[in-house]
Amino acid sequence: MSPAPAAVAALLDAAMKVVGPAHVLRSPDELSPYQDQFAFAPSGAHVPGGVVAPENVEQIQAILKLANEKKVPLWPVSRGKNLGYGGAAPVVSGSVILDLSRMRRILHVDEKLAYCVVEPGVGFFDLQDYLDEHGIKLWLGAPGQSWGSVLGNALEHGGSTTPLGEHAAQICGMEVLLANGDIVRTGMGAMENSATWHLYKHAFGPGWDQMFTQSNFGIVTKLGLWLLPEPEATLQLKMEVDDVDALEWIVDSLGPLRTNGTLNQFCAIRNYMGTATRNTQRSDWYTGPGAMPDSVIDTIQRQLKVGWWDISLRLHGVDGANRANADAIQRAVSKHTDRKFEITAWKQGEPRARSGQPRATMNSMHKLNWPGGRGGFLAFSPVMPLDGKLALAQFRRTRERMQEFGFDYYGAVYLADRALMVVSEVFFDQDDADQIQRLRRLFPVLVADAKAQGYGEYRGHIAYMDEIAGVFDFNHHALRRLNERIKETLDPNGILAPGKQGIWPPGQGPAIKGRKA
Ligand code: ADP
C-alpha cells in the first residue's frame, strides 16, 4: 500500500534536519537514478517517493523513528546496483529509499584470519583498491557487475566464481538495526567484548545472520565477510564445446567433482551469447522476426570462434594438488570428448593478471548494447539439482519458452556443490512496447514452468517477488506465514521494505488460498 504523499513529504522535511538538506532528494531528476534502470513494469510501479542518505547509525535510528511516526515505508539499499532485479527501486511506490552508500568505511581487514568487516556503502572496487594498496594477500570475490556493494551483494545471495561461491555463505556476524531502532549484533558478536564475532558462524542458540539476508526484518549496518587467502597457485582450464546437448555430460562430469571438492570453484558454464553480447549487437546478426534461428547462431559461433558452451574452470591451491585435480577433471570429460583443456598456470609472485582472479569490473555491462536502443535485462534464476539430464531438460524448457515469446536464450549455469543455479537473462529494448509486453507475459510462465519441476528461484526481480514467493507453498504457505508473524512482531508499522521477497505487513500481501491462520 503506497503511503500518503503528505506523509512522505513530512518525513522528507523532517529528515533534512537529521541528515542535512543535501542528503534528501525528491525532485524527479534526483530520483531517476533510484528507479529500476531496466524498467519494464507499468508506469507508476516501483517509483520511489524520495531518498534519504544517512551517514551513521544514529541518523538511521532517527529516520526509523520518523518513519514509524508517519507510517512511511523505507527501502534500504547499500549502493542500489541490484541490476536485473530492480536496481535501487522499491516494491511499493512511494517508499523512501534509505541510501546507505555514504556509510563507506572498511572497518577491519584481518589478513591472517581472512575476513573483512564493512559498512553498506563499501563497493567491490573500494575493497579491491584497499587490499591492493595495503598489499594484503586476500582475494575478494568480485561479481561480473562490480558497481554494487560487498554487503548488498552478500545479503542478496550474490556470488563469485571463486571457492567463496555464494557470498551469503561467507557472512559471519553482522550488526543490524531493527525497525524500533534497537541495535543487534548476531552470533558471537552478541557478547560485549566478543573476540570471535567474525570467526565463528554460529551462536549460542539459533543463528540469525541468514534471517537478515534477502529480508525486510532489519537494516544491516556492519557485515563480517570471509575472504579467500590468496592461493599459492592457480590453474585455469578452458574448453569450448560445440554441441548444445553437451550440457548434460558437462554437468555430469563436473558435478561429482564439485560435490567431492576436486573442483574447488563455484564455476559457470556459459553459452556463446556471453561472447556475442560483449562484442556485437543483435542487429549485426539478425533483424528478422522472433528469436534468432539456429542458422544465425551457427554463423555467430563460426565467426566469433566460440562453441555453444564455454567451460572455464579455475583450481586454487598448491600447484601439485591443482595439477592432480586438473588431471581428474580432464579424465572425467574425456569420457565424452576428445578435446583437451587449454591450461594456464599461475604461481604467487607472477603477474596477477594471469591468475584468473575475478577482479572488480563492469565489462559485462557491454551486453546492454545487444538488443539495441536502451538495453535492459531481466534475470530468471531457478535452483535445481546438480544433475545433467535435469539440467539439459531445464535449459531446453527455458530456451523454448524464451523463443516462443521471441527472445534469444542467454544463460549461465552455476555449479554449487549440490545444486545448479541456472541464471538466464532476457534482453530487451526498454522503449519497445511490444518487447515489454512479451517480457511481462513470459516471466510468470517461466516461474510456473520451474515450479512444476519443484524448482524455485534463488533471487528475483521486485516486480515478481509475490509470484516467486508464491511457489514456496508447502502446508498452505507455512513459510510465508512464519515470515509474516516475524514481520508483524519486529516491524508492527510495516516500515521496512514492505513486499520484499513477498513478505508483507499484516493484511497487505496477496491472499493465500485456503489460508488457515
Ligand atoms: P548493491 O549495493 O550491491 O548494489 P543493493 O543496494 O541494490 O545492492 O541491495 C540489494 C537489495 O538488498 C536491496 O534492494 C535491499 O532490498 C537489500 N539491502 C541492501 N542493503 C541492505 C542493508 N544494508 N540492509 C538491509 N537490506 C539491504
mmCIF file of all heavy atoms in Angstrom, residues 75-83 87-89 100 120 124 147-153 155-156 212 215 218-221 459 462 497 500-501, ligand 1:
data_model
loop_
_atom_site.group_PDB
_atom_site.id
_atom_site.type_symbol
_atom_site.label_atom_id
_atom_site.label_comp_id
_atom_site.label_asym_id
_atom_site.label_seq_id
_atom_site.Cartn_x
_atom_site.Cartn_y
_atom_site.Cartn_z
ATOM 1 N N TRP A 75 12.977 1.891 2.064
ATOM 2 C CA TRP A 75 13.547 0.783 1.270
ATOM 3 C C TRP A 75 15.068 0.922 1.349
ATOM 4 O O TRP A 75 15.660 1.752 0.648
ATOM 5 C CB TRP A 75 13.059 0.867 -0.186
ATOM 6 C CG TRP A 75 13.543 -0.249 -1.059
ATOM 7 C CD1 TRP A 75 14.660 -0.230 -1.844
ATOM 8 C CD2 TRP A 75 12.939 -1.542 -1.247
ATOM 9 N NE1 TRP A 75 14.778 -1.443 -2.497
ATOM 10 C CE2 TRP A 75 13.738 -2.253 -2.157
ATOM 11 C CE3 TRP A 75 11.788 -2.163 -0.734
ATOM 12 C CZ2 TRP A 75 13.441 -3.566 -2.560
ATOM 13 C CZ3 TRP A 75 11.496 -3.463 -1.151
ATOM 14 C CH2 TRP A 75 12.309 -4.143 -2.042
ATOM 15 N N PRO A 76 15.712 0.166 2.253
ATOM 16 C CA PRO A 76 17.167 0.331 2.391
ATOM 17 C C PRO A 76 17.926 -0.243 1.205
ATOM 18 O O PRO A 76 17.599 -1.330 0.733
ATOM 19 C CB PRO A 76 17.509 -0.474 3.660
ATOM 20 C CG PRO A 76 16.317 -1.276 3.994
ATOM 21 C CD PRO A 76 15.161 -0.846 3.150
ATOM 22 N N VAL A 77 18.897 0.499 0.708
ATOM 23 C CA VAL A 77 19.819 -0.045 -0.284
ATOM 24 C C VAL A 77 21.242 0.307 0.153
ATOM 25 O O VAL A 77 21.453 1.298 0.849
ATOM 26 C CB VAL A 77 19.592 0.505 -1.718
ATOM 27 C CG1 VAL A 77 18.218 0.135 -2.242
ATOM 28 C CG2 VAL A 77 19.813 1.996 -1.818
ATOM 29 N N SER A 78 22.177 -0.497 -0.282
ATOM 30 C CA SER A 78 23.572 -0.230 0.059
ATOM 31 C C SER A 78 24.185 0.660 -1.009
ATOM 32 O O SER A 78 24.518 1.801 -0.766
ATOM 33 C CB SER A 78 24.332 -1.548 0.207
ATOM 34 O OG SER A 78 23.917 -2.173 1.405
ATOM 35 N N ARG A 79 24.330 0.139 -2.232
ATOM 36 C CA ARG A 79 24.730 1.011 -3.339
ATOM 37 C C ARG A 79 23.663 1.031 -4.438
ATOM 38 O O ARG A 79 23.792 1.753 -5.417
ATOM 39 C CB ARG A 79 26.089 0.601 -3.900
ATOM 40 C CG ARG A 79 27.226 0.865 -2.899
ATOM 41 C CD ARG A 79 28.579 0.436 -3.428
ATOM 42 N NE ARG A 79 28.968 1.155 -4.607
ATOM 43 C CZ ARG A 79 29.488 2.394 -4.622
ATOM 44 N NH1 ARG A 79 29.664 3.033 -3.478
ATOM 45 N NH2 ARG A 79 29.818 2.970 -5.739
ATOM 46 N N GLY A 80 22.661 0.191 -4.289
ATOM 47 C CA GLY A 80 21.498 0.262 -5.175
ATOM 48 C C GLY A 80 21.755 -0.184 -6.598
ATOM 49 O O GLY A 80 21.132 0.299 -7.534
ATOM 50 N N LYS A 81 22.681 -1.118 -6.772
ATOM 51 C CA LYS A 81 23.009 -1.578 -8.137
ATOM 52 C C LYS A 81 22.584 -3.036 -8.332
ATOM 53 O O LYS A 81 23.314 -3.821 -8.943
ATOM 54 C CB LYS A 81 24.532 -1.448 -8.383
ATOM 55 C CG LYS A 81 25.100 -0.094 -8.107
ATOM 56 C CD LYS A 81 24.649 0.915 -9.148
ATOM 57 C CE LYS A 81 25.316 2.254 -8.910
ATOM 58 N NZ LYS A 81 24.622 3.345 -9.569
ATOM 59 N N ASN A 82 21.440 -3.364 -7.836
ATOM 60 C CA ASN A 82 20.960 -4.743 -7.939
ATOM 61 C C ASN A 82 20.376 -4.953 -9.340
ATOM 62 O O ASN A 82 19.188 -5.247 -9.516
ATOM 63 C CB ASN A 82 19.908 -4.967 -6.845
ATOM 64 C CG ASN A 82 19.618 -6.428 -6.593
ATOM 65 O OD1 ASN A 82 20.373 -7.303 -7.012
ATOM 66 N ND2 ASN A 82 18.507 -6.689 -5.924
ATOM 67 N N LEU A 83 21.244 -4.813 -10.345
ATOM 68 C CA LEU A 83 20.794 -4.727 -11.741
ATOM 69 C C LEU A 83 20.227 -6.058 -12.234
ATOM 70 O O LEU A 83 20.786 -7.121 -11.982
ATOM 71 C CB LEU A 83 21.966 -4.289 -12.626
ATOM 72 C CG LEU A 83 22.621 -2.967 -12.211
ATOM 73 C CD1 LEU A 83 23.789 -2.633 -13.122
ATOM 74 C CD2 LEU A 83 21.612 -1.835 -12.203
ATOM 75 N N GLY A 87 17.360 -2.897 -9.385
ATOM 76 C CA GLY A 87 18.251 -1.784 -9.017
ATOM 77 C C GLY A 87 17.931 -1.301 -7.606
ATOM 78 O O GLY A 87 17.815 -2.105 -6.686
ATOM 79 N N ALA A 88 17.777 0.023 -7.460
ATOM 80 C CA ALA A 88 17.513 0.599 -6.137
ATOM 81 C C ALA A 88 16.014 0.763 -5.877
ATOM 82 O O ALA A 88 15.617 1.249 -4.825
ATOM 83 C CB ALA A 88 18.196 1.962 -6.022
ATOM 84 N N ALA A 89 15.187 0.384 -6.823
ATOM 85 C CA ALA A 89 13.758 0.714 -6.724
ATOM 86 C C ALA A 89 13.040 -0.167 -5.704
ATOM 87 O O ALA A 89 13.422 -1.314 -5.480
ATOM 88 C CB ALA A 89 13.109 0.555 -8.104
ATOM 89 N N LEU A 100 22.304 3.945 1.779
ATOM 90 C CA LEU A 100 23.357 3.795 2.792
ATOM 91 C C LEU A 100 24.763 3.928 2.198
ATOM 92 O O LEU A 100 25.745 3.589 2.830
ATOM 93 C CB LEU A 100 23.209 2.427 3.479
ATOM 94 C CG LEU A 100 21.833 2.185 4.130
ATOM 95 C CD1 LEU A 100 21.716 0.755 4.643
ATOM 96 C CD2 LEU A 100 21.604 3.163 5.281
ATOM 97 N N PRO A 120 27.739 -0.655 4.653
ATOM 98 C CA PRO A 120 26.971 -0.935 3.433
ATOM 99 C C PRO A 120 27.517 -0.307 2.156
ATOM 100 O O PRO A 120 27.423 -0.899 1.079
ATOM 101 C CB PRO A 120 25.585 -0.368 3.748
ATOM 102 C CG PRO A 120 25.503 -0.362 5.242
ATOM 103 C CD PRO A 120 26.889 -0.146 5.736
ATOM 104 N N PHE A 124 32.870 -3.086 -4.379
ATOM 105 C CA PHE A 124 33.909 -4.064 -4.709
ATOM 106 C C PHE A 124 35.189 -3.364 -5.149
ATOM 107 O O PHE A 124 36.289 -3.790 -4.824
ATOM 108 C CB PHE A 124 33.420 -5.022 -5.797
ATOM 109 C CG PHE A 124 32.435 -6.020 -5.265
ATOM 110 C CD1 PHE A 124 31.074 -5.799 -5.377
ATOM 111 C CD2 PHE A 124 32.867 -7.156 -4.613
ATOM 112 C CE1 PHE A 124 30.164 -6.696 -4.858
ATOM 113 C CE2 PHE A 124 31.960 -8.065 -4.088
ATOM 114 C CZ PHE A 124 30.608 -7.831 -4.223
ATOM 115 N N TRP A 147 29.794 -2.789 -9.686
ATOM 116 C CA TRP A 147 29.409 -1.475 -9.173
ATOM 117 C C TRP A 147 28.826 -1.533 -7.772
ATOM 118 O O TRP A 147 28.829 -0.574 -7.040
ATOM 119 C CB TRP A 147 28.293 -0.907 -10.054
ATOM 120 C CG TRP A 147 28.751 -0.004 -11.110
ATOM 121 C CD1 TRP A 147 30.002 0.478 -11.291
ATOM 122 C CD2 TRP A 147 27.938 0.537 -12.156
ATOM 123 N NE1 TRP A 147 30.020 1.286 -12.400
ATOM 124 C CE2 TRP A 147 28.774 1.332 -12.945
ATOM 125 C CE3 TRP A 147 26.595 0.412 -12.496
ATOM 126 C CZ2 TRP A 147 28.301 2.016 -14.059
ATOM 127 C CZ3 TRP A 147 26.131 1.089 -13.602
ATOM 128 C CH2 TRP A 147 26.976 1.884 -14.374
ATOM 129 N N GLY A 148 28.228 -2.655 -7.481
ATOM 130 C CA GLY A 148 27.451 -2.770 -6.249
ATOM 131 C C GLY A 148 28.336 -2.874 -5.021
ATOM 132 O O GLY A 148 29.561 -2.759 -5.084
ATOM 133 N N SER A 149 27.680 -3.106 -3.900
ATOM 134 C CA SER A 149 28.403 -3.163 -2.634
ATOM 135 C C SER A 149 28.704 -4.594 -2.250
ATOM 136 O O SER A 149 27.990 -5.527 -2.620
ATOM 137 C CB SER A 149 27.541 -2.526 -1.548
ATOM 138 O OG SER A 149 26.404 -3.324 -1.342
ATOM 139 N N VAL A 150 29.748 -4.728 -1.448
ATOM 140 C CA VAL A 150 30.135 -6.035 -0.918
ATOM 141 C C VAL A 150 29.007 -6.558 -0.024
ATOM 142 O O VAL A 150 28.598 -7.725 -0.104
ATOM 143 C CB VAL A 150 31.455 -5.886 -0.130
ATOM 144 C CG1 VAL A 150 31.839 -7.167 0.572
ATOM 145 C CG2 VAL A 150 32.570 -5.407 -1.065
ATOM 146 N N LEU A 151 28.460 -5.647 0.795
ATOM 147 C CA LEU A 151 27.435 -6.049 1.768
ATOM 148 C C LEU A 151 26.103 -6.382 1.080
ATOM 149 O O LEU A 151 25.493 -7.429 1.332
ATOM 150 C CB LEU A 151 27.282 -4.914 2.787
ATOM 151 C CG LEU A 151 26.348 -5.076 3.988
ATOM 152 C CD1 LEU A 151 26.853 -4.257 5.166
ATOM 153 C CD2 LEU A 151 24.912 -4.699 3.674
ATOM 154 N N GLY A 152 25.653 -5.501 0.164
ATOM 155 C CA GLY A 152 24.361 -5.724 -0.501
ATOM 156 C C GLY A 152 24.382 -6.989 -1.337
ATOM 157 O O GLY A 152 23.425 -7.763 -1.365
ATOM 158 N N ASN A 153 25.501 -7.232 -2.004
ATOM 159 C CA ASN A 153 25.637 -8.429 -2.837
ATOM 160 C C ASN A 153 25.547 -9.691 -1.971
ATOM 161 O O ASN A 153 24.867 -10.659 -2.335
ATOM 162 C CB ASN A 153 26.983 -8.347 -3.568
ATOM 163 C CG ASN A 153 27.388 -9.657 -4.210
ATOM 164 O OD1 ASN A 153 27.976 -10.516 -3.556
ATOM 165 N ND2 ASN A 153 27.083 -9.829 -5.467
ATOM 166 N N LEU A 155 24.104 -9.940 0.985
ATOM 167 C CA LEU A 155 22.734 -10.061 1.513
ATOM 168 C C LEU A 155 21.786 -10.622 0.461
ATOM 169 O O LEU A 155 20.847 -11.344 0.782
ATOM 170 C CB LEU A 155 22.194 -8.704 1.956
ATOM 171 C CG LEU A 155 22.795 -8.056 3.203
ATOM 172 C CD1 LEU A 155 21.998 -6.810 3.572
ATOM 173 C CD2 LEU A 155 22.850 -9.018 4.370
ATOM 174 N N GLU A 156 22.015 -10.270 -0.801
ATOM 175 C CA GLU A 156 21.096 -10.719 -1.857
ATOM 176 C C GLU A 156 21.445 -12.106 -2.392
ATOM 177 O O GLU A 156 20.928 -12.528 -3.413
ATOM 178 C CB GLU A 156 21.102 -9.710 -3.014
ATOM 179 C CG GLU A 156 20.197 -8.531 -2.795
ATOM 180 C CD GLU A 156 18.720 -8.919 -2.655
ATOM 181 O OE1 GLU A 156 18.100 -9.305 -3.642
ATOM 182 O OE2 GLU A 156 18.202 -8.830 -1.528
ATOM 183 N N PHE A 212 18.607 -12.131 8.149
ATOM 184 C CA PHE A 212 18.657 -10.745 7.656
ATOM 185 C C PHE A 212 19.166 -10.661 6.215
ATOM 186 O O PHE A 212 19.410 -9.576 5.712
ATOM 187 C CB PHE A 212 19.508 -9.885 8.592
ATOM 188 C CG PHE A 212 18.889 -9.750 9.960
ATOM 189 C CD1 PHE A 212 19.408 -10.434 11.051
ATOM 190 C CD2 PHE A 212 17.761 -8.963 10.144
ATOM 191 C CE1 PHE A 212 18.824 -10.329 12.305
ATOM 192 C CE2 PHE A 212 17.162 -8.851 11.398
ATOM 193 C CZ PHE A 212 17.699 -9.537 12.479
ATOM 194 N N SER A 215 15.897 -10.033 3.059
ATOM 195 C CA SER A 215 14.908 -9.930 4.129
ATOM 196 C C SER A 215 14.471 -8.484 4.318
ATOM 197 O O SER A 215 15.115 -7.555 3.832
ATOM 198 C CB SER A 215 15.564 -10.487 5.395
ATOM 199 O OG SER A 215 15.159 -9.821 6.549
ATOM 200 N N GLY A 218 15.315 -6.124 9.079
ATOM 201 C CA GLY A 218 16.254 -5.211 9.723
ATOM 202 C C GLY A 218 17.108 -4.505 8.690
ATOM 203 O O GLY A 218 17.038 -4.803 7.492
ATOM 204 N N ILE A 219 17.921 -3.549 9.171
ATOM 205 C CA ILE A 219 18.855 -2.837 8.282
ATOM 206 C C ILE A 219 20.258 -3.223 8.729
ATOM 207 O O ILE A 219 20.637 -2.988 9.888
ATOM 208 C CB ILE A 219 18.661 -1.310 8.409
ATOM 209 C CG1 ILE A 219 17.243 -0.933 7.983
ATOM 210 C CG2 ILE A 219 19.706 -0.565 7.577
ATOM 211 C CD1 ILE A 219 16.890 0.515 8.286
ATOM 212 N N VAL A 220 20.996 -3.817 7.837
ATOM 213 C CA VAL A 220 22.336 -4.293 8.191
ATOM 214 C C VAL A 220 23.302 -3.124 8.049
ATOM 215 O O VAL A 220 23.406 -2.518 6.977
ATOM 216 C CB VAL A 220 22.755 -5.477 7.297
ATOM 217 C CG1 VAL A 220 24.142 -5.971 7.687
ATOM 218 C CG2 VAL A 220 21.718 -6.597 7.387
ATOM 219 N N THR A 221 24.018 -2.810 9.120
ATOM 220 C CA THR A 221 24.916 -1.655 9.095
ATOM 221 C C THR A 221 26.396 -2.046 9.136
ATOM 222 O O THR A 221 27.262 -1.231 8.843
ATOM 223 C CB THR A 221 24.623 -0.712 10.270
ATOM 224 O OG1 THR A 221 24.613 -1.495 11.466
ATOM 225 C CG2 THR A 221 23.273 -0.023 10.100
ATOM 226 N N ARG A 459 16.677 -15.847 -6.295
ATOM 227 C CA ARG A 459 16.702 -14.390 -6.237
ATOM 228 C C ARG A 459 15.668 -13.914 -7.235
ATOM 229 O O ARG A 459 15.356 -14.637 -8.190
ATOM 230 C CB ARG A 459 18.083 -13.954 -6.698
ATOM 231 C CG ARG A 459 18.468 -12.532 -6.535
ATOM 232 C CD ARG A 459 19.937 -12.424 -6.878
ATOM 233 N NE ARG A 459 20.441 -11.087 -6.660
ATOM 234 C CZ ARG A 459 21.699 -10.731 -6.823
ATOM 235 N NH1 ARG A 459 22.582 -11.607 -7.225
ATOM 236 N NH2 ARG A 459 22.095 -9.495 -6.595
ATOM 237 N N ILE A 462 12.016 -7.218 -8.236
ATOM 238 C CA ILE A 462 10.991 -6.637 -7.352
ATOM 239 C C ILE A 462 9.575 -6.775 -7.922
ATOM 240 O O ILE A 462 8.616 -6.869 -7.169
ATOM 241 C CB ILE A 462 11.275 -5.146 -7.047
ATOM 242 C CG1 ILE A 462 11.598 -4.375 -8.332
ATOM 243 C CG2 ILE A 462 12.393 -4.994 -6.022
ATOM 244 C CD1 ILE A 462 11.625 -2.880 -8.169
ATOM 245 N N ALA A 497 10.834 -2.024 4.002
ATOM 246 C CA ALA A 497 10.763 -2.718 2.706
ATOM 247 C C ALA A 497 9.550 -3.639 2.559
ATOM 248 O O ALA A 497 9.713 -4.829 2.282
ATOM 249 C CB ALA A 497 12.057 -3.501 2.485
ATOM 250 N N LYS A 500 9.174 -6.950 0.130
ATOM 251 C CA LYS A 500 10.438 -7.572 -0.284
ATOM 252 C C LYS A 500 10.360 -9.083 -0.056
ATOM 253 O O LYS A 500 9.934 -9.525 0.987
ATOM 254 C CB LYS A 500 11.613 -6.963 0.497
ATOM 255 C CG LYS A 500 12.937 -7.566 0.060
ATOM 256 C CD LYS A 500 14.131 -6.786 0.551
ATOM 257 C CE LYS A 500 15.416 -7.581 0.328
ATOM 258 N NZ LYS A 500 15.706 -7.910 -1.071
ATOM 259 N N GLN A 501 10.776 -9.837 -1.037
ATOM 260 C CA GLN A 501 10.733 -11.307 -1.033
ATOM 261 C C GLN A 501 9.317 -11.827 -0.765
ATOM 262 O O GLN A 501 9.136 -12.945 -0.288
ATOM 263 C CB GLN A 501 11.695 -11.912 0.017
ATOM 264 C CG GLN A 501 13.114 -11.410 -0.030
ATOM 265 C CD GLN A 501 13.801 -11.480 -1.374
ATOM 266 O OE1 GLN A 501 14.301 -10.476 -1.847
ATOM 267 N NE2 GLN A 501 13.821 -12.633 -1.995
HETATM 268 P P1 ADP B 1 24.327 -3.280 -4.233
HETATM 269 O O1 ADP B 1 24.820 -2.353 -3.222
HETATM 270 O O2 ADP B 1 25.178 -4.491 -4.370
HETATM 271 O O3 ADP B 1 24.057 -2.584 -5.487
HETATM 272 P P2 ADP B 1 21.677 -3.055 -3.359
HETATM 273 O O4 ADP B 1 21.994 -1.909 -2.513
HETATM 274 O O5 ADP B 1 20.911 -2.811 -4.623
HETATM 275 O O6 ADP B 1 22.960 -3.873 -3.708
HETATM 276 O O7 ADP B 1 20.944 -4.133 -2.469
HETATM 277 C C1 ADP B 1 20.165 -5.145 -2.991
HETATM 278 C C2 ADP B 1 18.944 -5.324 -2.101
HETATM 279 O O8 ADP B 1 19.373 -5.816 -0.834
HETATM 280 C C3 ADP B 1 18.244 -4.019 -1.803
HETATM 281 O O9 ADP B 1 17.240 -3.765 -2.754
HETATM 282 C C4 ADP B 1 17.664 -4.262 -0.436
HETATM 283 O O10 ADP B 1 16.432 -4.951 -0.572
HETATM 284 C C5 ADP B 1 18.665 -5.174 0.215
HETATM 285 N N1 ADP B 1 19.652 -4.448 1.047
HETATM 286 C C6 ADP B 1 20.728 -3.804 0.582
HETATM 287 N N2 ADP B 1 21.423 -3.275 1.582
HETATM 288 C C7 ADP B 1 20.770 -3.578 2.715
HETATM 289 C C8 ADP B 1 21.023 -3.318 4.086
HETATM 290 N N3 ADP B 1 22.100 -2.648 4.467
HETATM 291 N N4 ADP B 1 20.142 -3.787 4.990
HETATM 292 C C9 ADP B 1 19.057 -4.497 4.602
HETATM 293 N N5 ADP B 1 18.780 -4.783 3.316
HETATM 294 C C10 ADP B 1 19.616 -4.333 2.379
#
